[in-house]
């Protein structure tokens, strides 16, 4: 898998794109994508449109990102999860915790 | 749903009191497949894509294999992490521990010199759709099954805990989930219609 990041010109939006699969083996790369960010009020967009698969560890990783966003009084949005990934988010009832944009 | 005994009884009724020598075909799997991996191969990573390739080769591309991929991945990771590598999920409960867990996993994976994971699949035809019985056995000592099952039943989905969601996914996707041999063997049935 690949993790790509893109920060907006005004530094207020960080988009993290996950490609192929989103699983425990990418923990370090995923964390590195956001852990240095300390902009108050930052908006994280986690783009899962290209992630074909997600495991349960990735759910934990998303919660860690959500906690980081909360610490910065920012927000986390999950963007366009693929059908399979969305099913897993639904089973885990993540829509109760995080904004998911279909 | 009809099980083998219902069918046998039916046959018996049709034939008066005569019991047919063979058991019904309904109890026979359409195919069986198994893979047992020792530590050398386990170190090389997740074998589930190999298993899925086999299933695609036998069955073709079907929507139900997406769920099967999730079920097999979660069961394999559990067998590997807790059975072969004796990692403790409790580590994952804090943000620092979550990272530590994966560091430790890496370390243990490089040093482990014994162990195995055995994955067996039996595919049955049903009147509508089908069923796969999945058995995953690991070389570990097992765990406190009743404690884990209790946590599984009482876990609040919306709770912001970082771990313990794998088994929850499996339970949601499977018709049955049962631990045997002190937890070192798990048996689930995945049914699709």
């Amino acid at each position: 898998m690949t993790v790509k990041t893109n920060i907006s010109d005004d530094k207020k939006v960080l988009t993290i794109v996950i490609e192929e699969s989103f699983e425990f083996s990418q923990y370090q790369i995923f964390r590195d994508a956001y852990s240095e960010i300390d902009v108050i009020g930052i908006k994280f967009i986690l783009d899962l449109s290209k992630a074909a698969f997600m495991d349960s560890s990735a759910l934990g990783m998303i919660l860690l990102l959500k906690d980081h966003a909360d610490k910065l009084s920012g927000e986390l949005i999950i963007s366009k999860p693929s059908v399979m990934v969305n099913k897993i988010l639904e089973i885990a009832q993540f829509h109760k915790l995080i904004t998911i944009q279909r | 749903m009809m099980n083998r005994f219902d069918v046998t009884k039916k046959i018996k009724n049709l034939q008066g009191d005569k019991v047919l020598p063979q058991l019904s075909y309904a109890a026979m799997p359409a195919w069986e497949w198994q893979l047992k991996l020792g530590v050398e191969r386990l170190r090389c990573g997740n074998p589930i894509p190999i298993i899925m390739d086999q299933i695609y080769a036998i069955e073709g591309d079907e929507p139900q294999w997406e769920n099967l991929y999730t079920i097999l991945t979660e069961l394999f990771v559990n067998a590997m992490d807790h059975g072969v590598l004796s990692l403790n999920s409790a580590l994952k409960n804090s943000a620092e521990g979550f990272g530590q867990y994966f560091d430790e996993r890496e370390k243990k994976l490089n040093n482990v010199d014994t162990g195995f994971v055995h994955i067996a699949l039996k595919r049955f035809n049903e009147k509508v759709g089908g069923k796969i019985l999945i058995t995953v056995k690991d070389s570990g000592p097992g765990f406190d099954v009743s404690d884990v099952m209790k946590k599984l039943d009482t876990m609040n989905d919306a709770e912001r805990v970082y771990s313990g969601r794998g088994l929850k996914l499996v339970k949601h996707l499977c018709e049955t989930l049962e631990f045997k041999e002190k937890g070192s063997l798990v048996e689930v049935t995945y049914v699709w219609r």
Side-chain angles (χ1 to χ4, degrees), chain A residues 48-99:
Chain A
L48 297 180
S49 59
K50 290 175 184 152
F53 175 72
M54 177 168 77
D55 73 2
S56 64
S57 294
L59 293 170
M61 283 148 67
I62 294 174
L63 286 181
L64 286 168
L65 174 59
K66 168 78 174 156
D67 284 351
H68 191 75
D70 288 353
K71 239 184 272 167
L72 297 169
S73 312
E75 64 173 321
L76 169 63
I77 289 167
I78 296 177
S79 167
K80 302 187 195 76
S82 61
V83 176
M84 187 179 184
V85 165
N86 191 56
K87 188 192 268 174
I88 290 169
L89 291 169
E90 265 175 16
I91 296 172
Q93 303 201 10
F94 266 35
H95 54 279
K96 289 184 183 169
L97 301 170
I98 297 164
T99 310

Side-chain angles (χ1 to χ4, degrees), chain B:
Chain B
M1 205 166 50
M2 220 183 234
N3 65 35
R4 62 202 280 184
F5 300 109
D6 295 333
V7 177
T8 318
K9 210 159 75 191
K10 237 185 180 168
I11 295 170
K12 198 171 155 182
N13 289 342
L14 286 172
Q15 308 268 330
D17 277 344
K18 203 173 126 205
V19 180
L20 293 181
Q22 88 218 65
L23 265 175
S24 88
Y25 290 107
M28 231 171 68
W31 52 259
E32 294 183 43
W33 194 89
Q34 56 171 311
L35 180 69
K36 188 174 176 180
L37 297 166
V39 276
E40 296 84 1
R41 179 54 184 79
L42 288 171
R43 247 184 245 127
C44 305
N46 182 355
I48 303 307
I50 301 172
I51 301 180
M52 293 313 298
D53 280 349
Q54 298 284 320
I55 290 172
Y56 281 107
I58 302 169
E59 295 267 349
D61 191 356
E62 298 285 345
Q64 63 264 22
W65 307 144
E66 287 192 347
N67 287 343
L68 187 67
Y69 194 111
T70 295
I71 296 162
L72 288 172
T73 300
E74 299 299 336
L75 292 179
F76 170 74
V77 170
N78 279 346
M80 193 58 201
D81 285 16
H82 310 310
V84 177
L85 300 177
S86 318
L87 284 160
N88 187 349
S89 274
L91 252 188
K92 279 196 203 161
N93 291 341
S94 70
E96 307 75 45
F98 196 86
Q100 217 180 313
Y101 181 91
F102 293 105
D103 291 343
E104 205 166 305
R105 186 182 200 278
E106 193 67 26
K107 231 183 278 166
K108 284 194 165 183
L109 195 59
N110 289 326
N111 293 322
V112 69
D113 51 9
T114 56
F116 66 83
V117 175
H118 187 172
I119 300 165
L121 308 175
K122 283 186 189 180
R123 200 266 203 223
F124 297 89
N125 293 318
E126 300 278 273
K127 252 188 193 152
V128 185
K131 177 171 94 178
I132 292 190
L133 175 68
I134 303 154
T135 311
V136 179
K137 164 80 183 161
D138 64 62
S139 53
F143 53 88
D144 186 343
V145 174
S146 63
D147 186 52
V148 166
M149 292 308 276
K150 202 164 70 195
K151 278 191 191 135
L152 189 60
D153 288 336
T154 54
M155 181 180 168
N156 177 2
D157 286 305
E159 219 179 305
R160 287 171 68 162
V161 289
Y162 305 128
S163 74
R165 297 179 183 277
L167 213 48
K168 190 98 191 172
L169 284 179
V170 173
K171 197 179 172 209
H172 186 95
L173 294 171
C174 291
E175 197 96 336
T176 66
L177 165 75
E178 197 184 345
F179 285 103
K180 293 176 177 172
E181 301 183 17
K182 292 183 182 147
S184 67
L185 187 151
V186 62
E187 212 173 73
V188 304
T189 43
Y190 172 55
V191 178
W192 65 94
R193 293 188 172 90

